[in-house]
């Protein structure tokens, strides 16, 4: 084999250079091809021997190129494996961890408190009928109390529930007393949104029914909730008010110390009362008494956590939400 050809093959560093060598020696205009073409000009007695010799050289060059190709290929593979080497013993890279929203945590905390007091947690539909949201709760058809809870209606006459109270009658229709339930959930109102009003917010409802349940039990339940949320001995207050589905009815508030100002204030939470006989009648109940209360979860979270505007809960702004990572 030509020494020059061998040197060319050995000098090729990559597959492209090797291809150039192949063209130079074995291509259409390559040196070996030219030599083969030149055979015709030789006298016939020399032609055979010369032909064999040139073919042998050609095969040797082909073999050398093939061997070099395999070597380059192995080297390239080794380089690539080295470059892409992965240390499987390194600790993994993880993205930022998500967390629960403050309202979710407050809700879970509340449900924990009530579970500890022996309440069962139940949920109900957000798309309601007029019957469960108003009628069965003793709101007469044209009563002005309906206007305070204006909401969103579907074409088929259903509505987005304005409170969690519709679950009172739904639950009573399918369960027998005595029982203690809490109902967390999303509620909706056609509301002019401002710092303390959202069109979509959350409530927690409690309903306790049995024989001889009294206003004192209601008072005690609210007290127990206040003790669990704000510490033993927290003061609570009931002020008479009107809701069609209770008699008597009241607003309730919890006394707490504002962490920033250090002042004691009343935190108005929601409504409560003794379940109205008409509500029991709508559910087909007789001979029992019970109490219920319901309050806004956002309102409960705003004051203790210093959230000045209810809309902040829903703007998905991490600067707000991350402040509560360590809460609860
Ligand atoms: C009353 C008596 C019972 O026996 C049982 C439940 C109730 C509560 C009644 N269902 C109700 O919804 N009353 S309410 O209209 O006064 O709302 C209760 C609480 O929801 C309010 O005290 C407030 O904390 C919250 N809330 C009302 N509108 C809101 C709101 N929170 C945020 N945005 C709004 N637009």
């Amino acid at each position: 084999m030509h020494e020059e050809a061998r040197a060319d093959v050995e000098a090729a560093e990559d597959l492209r250079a090797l291809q150039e060598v192949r063209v130079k020696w074995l291509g259409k205009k390559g040196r070996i091809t030219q030599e083969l073409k030149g055979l015709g000009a030789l006298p016939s007695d020399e032609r055979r021997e010369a032909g064999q010799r040139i073919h042998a050289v050609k095969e040797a060059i082909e073999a050398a190129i093939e061997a070099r190709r395999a070597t380059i290929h192995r080297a390239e593979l080794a380089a690539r494996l080295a470059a892409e080497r992965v240390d499987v013993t390194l600790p993994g890279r993880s993205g930022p961890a998500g967390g629960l929203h403050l309202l979710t945590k407050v809700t879970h905390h509340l449900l924990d408190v009530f579970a500890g007091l022996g309440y069962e947690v139940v949920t109900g539909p957000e798309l309601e009928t007029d019957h469960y949201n108003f009628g069965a709760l003793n709101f007469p058809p044209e009563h002005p109390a309906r206007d305070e809870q204006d909401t969103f209606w579907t074409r088929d006459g259903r509505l987005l529930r304005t409170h969690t109270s519709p679950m009172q009658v739904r639950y009573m229709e399918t369960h027998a007393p005595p029982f203690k339930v809490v109902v967390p959930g999303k509620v909706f109102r056609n509301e002019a949104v401002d710092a303390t009003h959202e069109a979509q917010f959350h409530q927690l409802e409690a309903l306790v029914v049995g024989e001889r349940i009294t206003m004192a039990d209601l008072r005690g339940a609210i007290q127990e909730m206040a003790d669990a949320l704000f510490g033993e001995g927290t003061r609570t207050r009931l002020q008479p008010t009107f809701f069609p589905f209770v008699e008597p009815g009241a607003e309730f508030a919890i006394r707490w110390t504002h962490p920033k100002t250090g002042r004691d204030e009343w935190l108005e939470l929601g409504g409560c009362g003794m379940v109205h006989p008409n509500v029991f009648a709508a559910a087909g109940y007789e001979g029992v008494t019970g109490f219920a209360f319901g309050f806004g979860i956002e309102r409960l979270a705003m004051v203790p956590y210093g959230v000045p505007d209810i809309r902040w809960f829903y703007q998905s702004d991490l600067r707000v939400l991350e402040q509560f990572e360590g809460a609860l």
Side-chain angles (χ1 to χ4, degrees):
M1 176 176 151
H2 280 275
E3 279 313 310
E4 198 188 335
R6 186 190 301 279
D8 276 357
V9 170
E10 293 306 318
E13 295 275 354
D14 56 30
L15 294 177
R16 236 192 65 207
L18 194 62
Q19 176 61 13
E20 280 165 17
V21 173
R22 180 192 293 280
V23 169
K24 175 177 169 186
W25 290 93
L26 308 175
K28 267 193 198 141
K29 291 180 186 154
R31 297 261 293 269
I32 298 296
T33 317
Q34 293 304 319
E35 281 185 31
L36 285 170
K37 276 186 190 156
L39 283 177
L42 290 180
S44 57
D45 55 336
E46 288 175 27
R47 205 181 291 158
R48 187 181 155 79
E49 197 195 328
Q52 280 174 351
R53 190 177 37 78
I54 297 169
H55 270 294
V57 170
K58 185 182 174 197
E59 274 168 24
I61 294 176
E62 275 171 350
I65 287 176
E66 184 48 37
R68 183 73 189 143
R69 200 194 60 73
T71 307
I72 292 173
H73 184 69
R74 271 197 304 277
E76 283 183 356
L77 199 64
R80 201 173 140 197
L81 286 176
E84 294 177 6
R85 187 189 165 91
V86 177
D87 183 350
V88 294
T89 66
L90 283 177
R93 245 174 272 145
S94 54
L100 293 181
H101 194 282
L102 177 62
L103 290 176
T104 309
K105 292 203 250 191
V106 170
T107 306
H108 288 174
H109 181 54
L110 284 165
L111 296 181
D112 253 14
V113 166
F114 281 101
L117 298 173
Y119 287 71
E120 186 195 348
V121 179
V122 297
T123 55
E126 291 167 8
L127 186 58
E128 261 301 358
T129 60
D130 182 278
H131 172 71
Y132 286 111
N133 197 82
F134 292 122
L137 291 172
N138 199 33
F139 285 80
E142 303 299 331
H143 197 279
R146 283 169 175 252
D147 297 342
E148 290 167 19
Q149 300 192 10
D150 188 18
T151 185
F152 306 94
W153 297 79
T154 57
R155 286 187 209 290
D156 63 4
R158 286 181 294 170
L159 56 104
L160 294 182
R161 66 177 178 191
T162 58
H163 49 176
T164 40
S165 304
M167 252 321 263
Q168 291 190 17
V169 174
R170 279 188 181 277
Y171 188 85
M172 287 194 277
E173 279 178 346
T174 50
H175 295 81
F179 59 75
K180 296 157 80 166
V181 292
V182 277
V183 189
K186 208 178 279 172
V187 301
F188 309 83
R189 291 190 192 179
N190 184 6
E191 199 90 75
V193 172
D194 63 22
T196 52
H197 295 83
E198 259 294 355
Q200 178 186 305
F201 57 102
H202 295 81
Q203 286 188 342
L204 188 88
E205 185 96 4
L207 175 66
V208 173
V209 179
E211 279 176 32
R212 292 187 300 276
I213 301 283
T214 70
M215 194 97 185
D217 297 312
L218 167 61
R219 199 81 188 68
I222 287 175
Q223 186 60 48
E224 282 185 301
M225 174 172 83
D227 288 345
L229 290 177
F230 296 105
E232 206 69 29
T234 300
R235 288 168 64 203
T236 59
R237 177 181 78 181
L238 267 59
Q239 286 186 315
T241 192
F242 171 78
F243 294 103
F245 40 97
V246 282
E247 183 57 40
E251 273 170 8
F252 68 96
I254 292 179
R255 188 85 171 166
W256 79 300
T257 312
H258 198 291
K260 290 223 176 78
T261 63
R263 268 205 298 270
D264 281 358
E265 330 184 311
W266 287 109
L267 180 57
E268 300 276 355
L269 275 190
C272 64
M274 300 307 293
V275 178
H276 196 287
N278 289 353
V279 176
F280 282 139
Y285 273 24
E286 266 176 25
V288 288
T289 56
F291 68 77
F293 58 89
F295 57 90
I297 295 177
E298 281 82 354
R299 295 273 179 87
L300 176 64
M302 282 172 79
V303 184
Y305 291 98
V307 180
D309 192 316
I310 193 171
R311 291 166 288 198
W312 288 16
F313 285 125
Y314 299 107
Q315 284 167 348
S316 300
D317 186 337
L318 290 180
R319 290 170 304 176
V320 173
L321 301 179
E322 281 174 354
Q323 294 179 48
F324 307 111
E325 262 174 10
L328 289 170

